[in-house]
Every structure is written in C-alpha cells, then in structure tokens.
Amino acid sequence: MRVLAAMSGGVDSAVAAARAVDAGHDVVGVHLALSAKPGTLRTGSRGCCTIEDSHDARRAADILGIPFYIWDFAERFTEEVVETFVGEYAAGRTPNPCVTCNEKIKFEALLEKAMALGFDAVATGHYARLATVDGELELRRSADEGKDQSYVLASLTPEQLSHAMFPLGDSWKSDVRAEAEQRGLSVAHKPDSHDICFIPDGDTKQFLENRLGQRPGQLVDAETGAVLGQHTGVHGFTVGQRKGLGIDAPATDGRPRYVLSLEPVSGTVKVGSSTGLGVDVIEADRAIWPGGRVLDGPTECVVQVRAHGGIAEAVAEANGEHVSVQLREPLRGVAPGQVVVLYRPDAGAGDLVLGSAKISSTR
C-alpha cells in the first residue's frame, strides 16, 4: 500500500514508519506543523511540534530512506483543537485535547489530504491494536497496557480506522526504544511528550486566563451554601481539583475541599469534601462506535473516563447518540466534557473498544 507515516519527531512514530517500510509498503513521511510560532527547542518532556521535533523527524526519514515533507496544519489545529479547548473550559467542561487532535487533525484533516493524494493509509506511533474479526474491524487495547492509547482513539469512526495503521500495537515501549537504537535512530532515548502540547509550560490556568480574561465568581460550600472566597473564572478549575483553591479553612469533616461542580453562567464553583466526588451514573452524548456495532440493550462493560485511570465496571445502554452508564462502583472526579470509553474485557487479545461518548452530566 501507499502509506503516509505521521512523524512527530519522537521515537514511537519513527519506529512505526520503519516497520511500515519493513512490511513492504511505499512509505512517505510527513511532519505536521501545528504551531504558527513553534519553539526552537523542547524542554525535556514538555512541548512538541517544535523546530527540533521537525528536524528529528527529518533525520529519521533520511535513515529510513523515505521521502519527507512538512505540512502546515497550524491554522486548522488552532481552530479545531485550541479554540475548542478554550471554549469547553469557558463552558465549565473539561475537554481532552488529545482526543480532539486525533479525531479532527490526524484522522480527519490529515487523512482527507492523504486520501486525496492517493495514499491508502496513515500510520502513526499510537499504542493500540486493530484487527478484523468476521469481516468487522475492531479497535483494541495495546499489548503494553501502561502505554495504551486506545482511549484517545476511541472517537474515530469505522471509516477512519479502516485507513489507519498502528504498527506498535503488539509492542512494549522498552522494545520500541531498543529497536530504535538498533536502527540507529537518534530519537531512541528522546523523552516522551507530556502535558498539553500547546501549553509547554504546563500552566493551563494562566493559558486560559490569557485568552478568556478574568471572570470573577464565588467559591461556595456545596453543603451549607456559605461563600468561602472569590475566584477569577470557572475556567481555572476542574471537577476533582484539590490544590490551588485559595481556601484556608478545611471542609466540615476536617479534610481538604475539592471542586464538586462548576456553574459558568453564575460563575459559581461549588466545593466540598471528597465524599461528594463519587459518581454512580454517567450520561453521555455524541456516541461513536469504532467497530460499527451499536450496543444492543443493556451491556456489561468496563468504562474509562481519563486517558490514564478512571476505570470501573458498568452496565451501559445506548439510545441513538446518547449513552447511559450505570457504574458498578463509584468513580471520583468525573467531569462533563470528558470522554467515556466503553470496553469489553477480553483477556489476551486486548480489551475491545465498544464505543465512546462525550460526558454531558453525572450523578
């Protein structure tokens, strides 16, 4: 096949491209320029899409002997990912920009351009597995569960997945680094990127305040209704947050307070003890079924509400694009705007992704 390898400049995408070449595909490497003003150098594991990253990707492509291009997707990335991120926080929701980036940039914008240029598939360095069972495409967890990225890919449609390749799905990260070193790739020991790529200093609150300004409101005790303090905007908080509340007095049980809910219209941030964080029911909309199979009645499953962690057994039921999830055991810190991913446990083969949806409310 003609394969477009998305090369971020990291070790995973470089090895994924190498494996696509080894498999006999006609591979072309492409680095996505996602920032209008890319930084000159990374700071350890912070940031991505820097000039250094593009140079690392080019060097890897040279070693692999494949053509290499840089495509400017900065404008679309800003519109689809950054502005969506800011808008969601302004509305009191907690988005996952990596999910949005995969959905809107790597497997929509990039894939559309690749298909228009005659490519058959896009290969990435994601840790997830694709398999065809009885003629149906399935998305599954990777072999290395500690690096599994099926959560951030679960919002892709069956059509998008049919043109995707994840060459690292059956590998462990340590083996990928060892392979990169063996191949002479300079990125073999390059640190992985962490945090939000377009907020390299990690200060999300300041990033949002720079764009939204200050929107003063009150910090209110969820149990008594007492005003405990003031804040500069609900966008500076997320459900489950404990630090940085600016409240000196502890909760009524003598323990720290946590953010329990956000009300962007009134500017109210309700706080309380950790006992108020437990969630038994999740309601979610905009359901997507990567394998093309909608839930048929109440379905036993395992749900995940964060890229790493937030996992519980549950019973889920779909009604159109709406999904209702009854948790077997409470989860803490579940916030509107997050994505809930439904899995069917399958020992040995990697848990099967049933579907995903955007959390609209909890109780």
Side-chain angles (χ1 to χ4, degrees):
M1 297 191 297
R2 291 196 69 210
V3 174
L4 187 70
M7 303 181 70
S8 67
V11 62
D12 296 328
S13 59
V15 172
R19 291 184 178 182
V21 172
D22 289 351
H25 300 301
D26 177 11
V27 181
V28 173
V30 63
H31 177 80
L32 302 185
L34 301 179
S35 173
K37 297 179 180 178
T40 303
L41 296 172
R42 290 162 56 93
T43 304
S45 62
R46 290 193 179 277
C48 74
C49 312
T50 64
I51 294 173
E52 179 188 1
D53 291 322
S54 66
H55 290 170
D56 286 342
R58 184 180 295 278
R59 282 191 288 268
D62 288 343
I63 290 174
L64 300 178
I66 61 175
F68 177 81
Y69 300 92
I70 296 177
W71 288 355
D72 184 0
F73 276 29
E75 184 176 350
R76 186 153 181 178
F77 181 81
T78 298
E79 292 175 356
E80 299 279 14
V81 181
V82 180
E83 290 182 5
T84 296
F85 177 85
V86 173
E88 286 288 276
Y89 265 99
R93 295 186 288 267
T94 305
N96 184 315
C98 293
V99 172
T100 309
C101 183
N102 282 310
E103 180 183 355
K104 297 296 184 181
I105 304 301
K106 294 174 184 174
F107 293 96
E108 185 172 299
L110 177 61
L111 186 57
E112 286 174 359
K113 187 169 182 177
M115 296 296 103
L117 292 173
F119 288 92
D120 301 300
V122 169
T124 71
H126 286 101
Y127 285 81
R129 289 189 273 198
L130 286 173
T132 302
V133 179
D134 297 329
E136 298 287 346
L137 189 66
E138 294 182 347
L139 174 65
R140 292 178 173 269
R141 287 194 190 276
S142 67
D144 188 342
E145 291 193 11
K147 298 299 295 183
D148 175 60
Q149 292 173 294
S150 61
Y151 175 88
V152 297
L153 297 169
S155 295
L156 303 185
T157 66
E159 175 65 17
Q160 290 170 328
L161 286 176
S162 70
H163 294 289
M165 291 177 61
F166 306 130
L168 307 187
D170 290 315
S171 301
W172 275 256
K173 182 61 178 254
S174 57
D175 294 333
V176 170
R177 288 198 181 279
E179 181 179 333
E181 187 169 24
Q182 196 172 42
R183 291 178 180 273
L185 296 171
S186 62
V187 293
H189 300 288
K190 183 175 179 179
D192 292 336
S193 294
H194 295 296
D195 301 317
I196 299 169
C197 69
F198 52 87
I199 311 178
D201 64 2
D203 192 344
T204 302
K205 183 176 182 179
Q206 188 60 55
F207 173 86
L208 291 168
E209 191 164 300
N210 289 343
R211 284 153 180 78
L212 296 171
Q214 294 192 355
R215 302 181 179 186
Q218 296 179 330
L219 288 155
V220 175
D221 187 299
E223 184 178 342
T224 66
V227 175
L228 303 173
Q230 307 294 318
H231 63 78
T232 58
V234 296
H235 50 267
F237 302 89
T238 59
V239 172
Q241 179 178 334
R242 179 173 68 87
K243 296 181 179 180
L245 302 186
I247 303 173
D248 296 327
T252 54
D253 59 4
R255 297 180 179 179
R257 286 186 169 89
Y258 296 79
V259 174
L260 302 184
S261 66
L262 305 172
E263 298 176 3
V265 175
S266 65
T268 301
V269 176
K270 290 188 176 181
V271 299
S273 66
S274 60
T275 56
L277 288 174
V279 166
D280 297 299
V281 178
I282 295 172
E283 303 292 348
D285 297 304
R286 292 176 50 194
I288 294 174
W289 312 100
R293 296 181 294 275
V294 181
L295 298 186
D296 183 16
T299 302
E300 294 277 353
C301 61
V302 171
V303 301
Q304 184 170 335
V305 297
R306 288 184 289 278
H308 302 287
I311 300 173
E313 295 181 355
V315 176
E317 192 165 6
N319 182 10
E321 291 191 348
H322 182 81
V323 178
S324 183
V325 179
Q326 177 70 55
L327 300 171
R328 294 289 192 195
E329 53 196 51
L331 278 176
R332 289 176 52 173
V334 184
Q338 291 176 322
V339 172
V340 57
V341 177
L342 318 178
Y343 292 87
R344 186 189 74 198
D346 196 346
D351 291 357
L352 170 67
V353 174
L354 298 173
S356 72
K358 189 173 181 180
I359 298 174
S360 54
S361 64
T362 65
R363 61 182 185 275

